[in-house]
Amino acid sequence: MTPPTPTPTPTRSRTRTAWAAAVLLAVTALPASTAAAAADTSHVEGRLPSGAAYMMDVPAGWNGTVLLFSHGYTSGPANPAQDAPDAATKTLLLEKGYALVGSSYATTGWAVTDAVPDQLAALAAFTDRFGAAGRTIAWGRSYGGLVTTAIAERHPDRIDGSVALCGLVQGGVANWNNTLDPAFAVKTLLAPGSDVPLVDLADQTAATEAANTLTAAVDSAQTTAAGRARIALAAALHNIPVWNQPTQPRPAATDWDAQQANQYDAVKGLLKIAAFNRRQEAEVRAGGNMSWNTGVDYAKLLGRSSVRKEVTELYRKAGLSLTADLTTLNRAPRIAADPAAVAWMSGTSSFTGELAKPQLSVHTIGDALVPVQTESALRRAVTAAGSSALLRQAYVDNAGHCTFSPAEQLAALHTLEDRLTTGHWRGTDPAALNSRATAADPTTPTRYVPYRPTPYLRPYDLAHPADRR
């Protein structure tokens, strides 16, 4: 395939002068008073010069570690600051003496160009008010995992290590390419006469109309064996797992119908959330369409999918030719990217794989929105960049996006802390992680398991020149 050539990799760190100015600006945004969130916790809220809100929580017995939390994708209009992944985990962290800080980002949506400087400005404001931390750990969930990894790569001087939870660690270009493929399959196979645009969406109204049209096609297809097989094929091109919500029954290994039924809702969710409305917002930022399927062989993609066996069995059961449908996909008119939009997405939201500080990346195995295979993409980039000794990855046996227990999140944090203290990774195996989780919070589940994700289907990073040829 011949994707456009992006602009050069972004600068890895700001100058001392620029950061001194950022600290000065952050100081001017500090509130006049501190409200007490609890008897032994100082709670601070304020606003940065960018307009982003921030919050800080510092226990009276601060242990010297500050956790910089990057929240996930927010579509607005509400745009609150967050300094922890959830209320239960926040309570445990404060009880254990951690200081917490996080900003809202100045804008909502695919806001990485705001999120990274806003997070670092919030950290500077924290330092000015409470003093220098003995240790600073960046962490984040979902889109916040992308923000955290961007901070880890570009500003390693500002942190000691990082934890990415259910993160978009495959980077922006890879994310949007992988989101295009299932939508392309749905349109081509289930709505072949439709003129639904998959890219270059005019506005949010057009995005919603396109999502509704293809969702209706999926609903109709679900009523026939052939339609269900084709939905499974679309799901396979995104590596949508066969168990992807905690409320779903976990299907048996050969219960193809139950597996597809679980994927059906996830395919509709992908169309309603990411494939159109979020894409349209990202296209506005990028200045055009940042993804493509020119040169993609969908037969080869299916061959590498984690759920290819399910697809072949459902096609066989329906009496439908999988070869014919793959040929139809490969012969359908392709979508080319806007080179400038790819350059923007690559420059702001893709990764070099160059880590200077330790990172632990954790994923649930049943994530449909950000499939666990993103971890394979991260490993690919980090290995190519020669930073693999600094990365460890761990997996939680649960369905859903970011469905971690407080115990599991604290175990990840403590494992990174152990690496920072000793200079060596240890206790990253599931048994050790579960032991740490139980010790941190015996009241919530501990489900770390041995796991090795299949390859990410459309990788793109700045460590592989061939991705950008």
Side-chain angles (χ1 to χ4, degrees):
M1 65 188 76
T2 56
T5 301
T7 54
T9 306
T11 304
R12 286 179 54 86
S13 62
R14 298 180 184 271
T15 64
R16 292 182 181 272
T17 301
W19 274 112
V23 171
L24 179 61
L25 287 171
V27 171
T28 67
L30 287 168
S33 63
T34 298
D40 58 350
T41 299
S42 295
H43 177 74
V44 177
E45 295 185 13
R47 196 163 294 278
L48 299 169
S50 67
Y54 67 82
M55 65 163 46
M56 308 171 188
D57 287 283
V58 184
W62 179 26
N63 64 15
T65 296
V66 62
L67 306 179
L68 177 66
F69 181 72
S70 296
H71 68 73
Y73 186 99
T74 301
S75 57
N79 187 24
Q82 299 177 46
D83 62 3
D86 56 75
T89 301
K90 179 172 182 172
T91 297
L92 287 169
L93 290 170
L94 292 174
E95 288 175 353
K96 294 176 186 298
Y98 294 96
L100 313 177
V101 61
S103 77
S104 64
Y105 320 152
T107 57
T108 59
W110 195 271
V112 64
T113 52
D114 293 319
V116 172
D118 284 342
Q119 284 289 83
L120 295 174
L123 183 61
F126 174 92
T127 301
D128 182 78
R129 188 175 189 105
F130 293 102
R135 178 177 286 169
T136 300
I137 294 173
W139 68 327
R141 298 208 310 182
S142 190
Y143 183 77
L146 183 147
V147 175
T148 295
T149 303
I151 291 171
E153 281 199 358
R154 302 171 193 173
H155 303 280
D157 57 312
R158 302 288 293 166
I159 64 172
D160 295 291
S162 58
V163 177
L165 300 167
C166 52
L168 280 78
V169 291
Q170 78 276 44
V173 175
N175 173 74
W176 292 112
N177 275 343
N178 199 48
T179 303
L180 175 64
D181 292 328
F184 181 79
V186 167
K187 178 182 177 181
T188 302
L189 299 177
L190 302 181
S194 169
D195 60 355
V196 171
L198 299 182
V199 299
D200 295 319
L201 300 156
D203 50 34
Q204 283 290 297
T205 298
T208 298
E209 290 175 352
N212 289 343
T213 297
L214 290 193
T215 299
V218 170
D219 282 334
S220 178
Q222 187 67 12
T223 64
T224 69
R228 291 191 291 272
R230 286 168 169 153
I231 293 170
L233 173 55
L237 297 178
H238 193 66
N239 269 322
I240 290 177
V242 299
W243 180 51
N244 54 73
Q245 290 295 331
T247 55
Q248 293 173 340
R250 191 168 192 168
T254 58
D255 191 344
W256 315 117
D257 291 328
Q259 293 177 14
Q260 191 278 334
N262 287 349
Q263 291 173 320
Y264 160 59
D265 285 333
V267 169
K268 291 201 299 178
L270 183 69
L271 294 173
K272 290 178 179 178
I273 296 173
F276 292 99
N277 293 90
R278 290 188 181 179
R279 171 182 287 280
Q280 192 274 335
E281 190 275 338
E283 285 185 345
V284 170
R285 288 182 181 271
N289 168 37
M290 57 282 176
S291 54
W292 67 89
N293 65 357
T294 50
V296 172
D297 184 329
Y298 283 105
K300 289 184 178 179
L301 244 58
L302 177 62
R304 296 197 296 271
S305 174
S306 60
V307 290
R308 62 188 180 277
K309 178 64 173 175
E310 174 215 0
V311 175
T312 59
E313 291 297 327
L314 287 172
Y315 266 80
R316 181 190 59 77
K317 183 176 180 179
L320 193 63
S321 172
L322 178 56
T323 299
D325 273 0
L326 290 170
T327 299
T328 297
L329 286 177
N330 281 339
R331 290 178 177 174
R334 296 309 178 92
I335 293 169
D338 179 339
V342 175
W344 185 91
M345 189 61 67
S346 176
T348 63
S349 310
S350 294
F351 298 124
T352 65
E354 297 173 10
L355 293 173
K357 302 289 176 64
Q359 182 174 73
L360 178 63
S361 190
V362 185
H363 228 102
T364 53
I365 66 173
D367 191 337
L369 184 62
V370 184
V372 67
Q373 285 75 20
T374 60
E375 298 294 336
S376 295
L378 175 63
R379 170 63 65 181
R380 173 182 184 261
V382 168
T383 299
S387 302
S388 57
L390 290 169
L391 177 69
R392 289 296 183 272
Q393 293 164 295
Y395 302 95
V396 168
D397 186 23
N398 199 22
H401 181 51
C402 301
T403 52
F404 304 108
S405 70
E408 289 158 351
Q409 292 175 116
L410 264 67
L413 173 63
H414 294 335
T415 299
L416 177 69
E417 288 182 297
D418 185 70
R419 168 63 177 80
L420 299 179
T421 299
T422 66
H424 304 283
W425 288 109
R426 61 184 186 180
T428 58
D429 60 283
L433 285 162
N434 285 328
S435 178
R436 277 193 170 122
T438 299
D441 177 23
T443 69
T444 58
T446 57
R447 299 159 295 193
Y448 282 98
V449 292
Y451 190 79
R452 185 180 181 88
T454 56
Y456 192 77
L457 297 179
R458 297 285 302 278
Y460 178 102
D461 59 59
L462 303 176
H464 288 83
D467 290 352
R468 296 166 281 137
R469 68 180 185 273

